[in-house]
Amino acid sequence: MSEIHTFAVTGRWPADFHQGGTLSADGLSVSFSIPAGLGGPGLGTNPEELLLASAAGCYLITLGKLLRNRRIPFSEIRLESRGFVENDRGLRFDRIEHRPVVLVDDPADEEHIRILCEHAEHACMVSSALRGNVAVQVMPEVQVQTAPSR
């Protein structure tokens, strides 16, 4: 029998959409509104950023676990993610680009790290939920840290 995990978010949205709404969950309390670029007030965050943050957070956790499970030493993963929304007969979240930078001391595992960067997108639960609706691209980079000079 499979184990089921439940996550809950509560929200409020006022009749006047220029005020924006709120969302809360364990560890989350955020104001949000329609982005200014889409005709809203641009207060707090917006659903598009929240979706992107969810995809980025899941990707980072998954990549970190894959690297750790394969015993590949790294000091940090840095990530820039971008979401692209198209307005083609209605708004549509078209694609996400993840640009991870994995900081390592030894470049020996570089090719393996690049493969795991791609694999993390396929193993991430949020990416799996988006698959078929939103394209996700990964553009990894591995940076070798140099020891500080004395």
Side-chain angles (χ1 to χ4, degrees):
M1 181 176 206
S2 67
E3 186 177 349
I4 296 177
H5 300 274
T6 303
F7 301 92
V9 175
T10 59
R12 291 178 170 231
W13 187 258
D16 178 3
F17 80 94
H18 289 304
Q19 294 176 355
T22 59
L23 292 170
S24 60
D26 290 344
L28 174 72
S29 179
V30 64
S31 297
F32 74 103
S33 70
I34 299 168
L38 298 178
L43 302 172
T45 189
N46 57 66
E48 295 77 14
E49 288 174 339
L50 291 169
L51 177 66
L52 183 60
S54 180
C58 184
Y59 178 82
L60 274 169
I61 289 170
T62 304
L63 179 55
K65 284 186 75 168
L66 288 172
L67 291 168
R68 187 187 74 213
N69 290 348
R70 304 301 192 287
R71 292 184 171 83
I72 297 175
F74 68 98
S75 61
E76 185 176 45
I77 303 167
R78 297 178 183 161
L79 180 66
E80 178 183 340
S81 294
R82 293 181 183 235
F84 297 85
V85 174
E86 288 191 2
N87 191 355
D88 181 26
R89 295 180 297 229
L91 293 174
R92 178 176 68 81
F93 212 107
D94 180 60
R95 74 185 187 281
I96 293 173
E97 292 179 356
H98 292 310
R99 296 174 184 265
V101 177
V102 181
L103 303 178
V104 299
D105 292 328
D106 181 1
D109 292 318
E110 182 173 353
E111 189 55 34
H112 195 188
I113 291 169
R114 289 180 181 280
I115 290 167
L116 290 175
C117 286
E118 290 290 335
H119 181 64
E121 188 275 319
H122 296 286
C124 166
M125 181 177 61
V126 173
S127 289
S128 294
L130 296 173
R131 196 163 289 118
N133 293 307
V134 178
V136 180
Q137 298 172 304
V138 177
M139 297 156 211
E141 182 181 334
V142 177
Q143 286 185 3
V144 178
Q145 295 180 313
T146 55
S149 57
R150 295 182 184 227

